[in-house]
Amino acid sequence: MKKFLVENLGRNLENWPETNWNFEELTLVAFYFHPSLEVARAQWLVATAGIKTAGARPNPSVSVSPAYDSQIPGNYSPWLVPVTFDVPIETAGKRGKRLAEAEKISEAARWNFVSAAWAIRSGVRNGLLDFQIAGRRVEAFGACSVGADQRSRKNES
């Protein structure tokens, strides 16, 4: 994790492990550990590979299969060995349509990845804000309890 932070922060971390974390560091740690980001990245890579697959031309094929025909006159054996060549021809721009669809799917997967990263960042921001607000509430509660103690001492005297 330290290597990941150093690479993405662009600076060296002298005090490791960190005792005080800022928002940027916490966000990078969340990116490092959060599984939904890896899932979204894998989906994006699969969709990107789909573009290459969609652009491929279908392969021609050759097949050899035995056949039986006893109606051929003068043939010394009723068994034949026919050879079949299949050359697929795509018409009506099917390849272009497949490519366009695969590119749209890849773009959607990329935006899904960006959305996952943004959701993780938003969760870190909300958690950090909740932590800061809780700290301020504790300080305010401590100040109120000190004031209440002082008032109760005045009332006792």
Side-chain angles (χ1 to χ4, degrees):
M1 182 173 67
K2 180 180 179 183
K3 181 181 173 187
F4 178 79
L5 286 171
V6 168
E7 287 175 3
N8 290 289
L9 287 172
R11 60 181 164 84
N12 198 8
L13 300 172
E14 289 83 25
N15 299 330
W16 186 258
E18 293 280 331
T19 54
N20 295 323
W21 296 80
N22 63 22
F23 175 66
E24 184 181 16
E25 293 168 345
L26 287 172
T27 302
L28 287 173
V29 169
F31 287 164
Y32 183 80
F33 283 112
H34 210 285
S36 67
L37 199 61
E38 279 302 312
V39 170
R41 180 180 289 118
Q43 289 171 343
W44 181 20
L45 291 173
V46 167
T48 303
I51 294 173
K52 187 174 184 178
T53 304
R57 298 180 195 278
N59 291 327
S61 64
V62 176
S63 62
V64 178
S65 60
Y68 183 83
D69 189 0
S70 62
Q71 301 299 320
I72 301 175
N75 193 1
Y76 61 91
S77 172
W79 290 99
L80 304 170
V81 184
V83 178
T84 307
F85 294 99
D86 293 324
V87 181
I89 299 173
E90 289 186 318
T91 58
K94 292 177 190 169
R95 183 170 169 255
K97 290 176 185 175
R98 275 196 321 265
L99 271 170
E101 182 180 354
E103 287 171 354
K104 289 176 186 175
I105 290 171
S106 177
E107 187 67 15
R110 184 178 77 85
W111 282 108
N112 185 31
F113 174 75
V114 170
S115 295
W118 190 258
I120 292 168
R121 182 188 179 280
S122 296
V124 170
R125 185 192 68 230
N126 289 339
L128 191 58
L129 286 173
D130 289 345
F131 179 74
Q132 289 176 344
I133 289 170
R136 290 179 184 166
R137 285 182 182 166
V138 167
E139 289 174 5
F141 180 73
C144 287
S145 66
V146 168
D149 288 343
Q150 291 173 352
R151 282 189 296 246
S152 67
R153 286 185 192 142
K154 282 184 183 180
N155 290 341
E156 290 175 0
S157 7

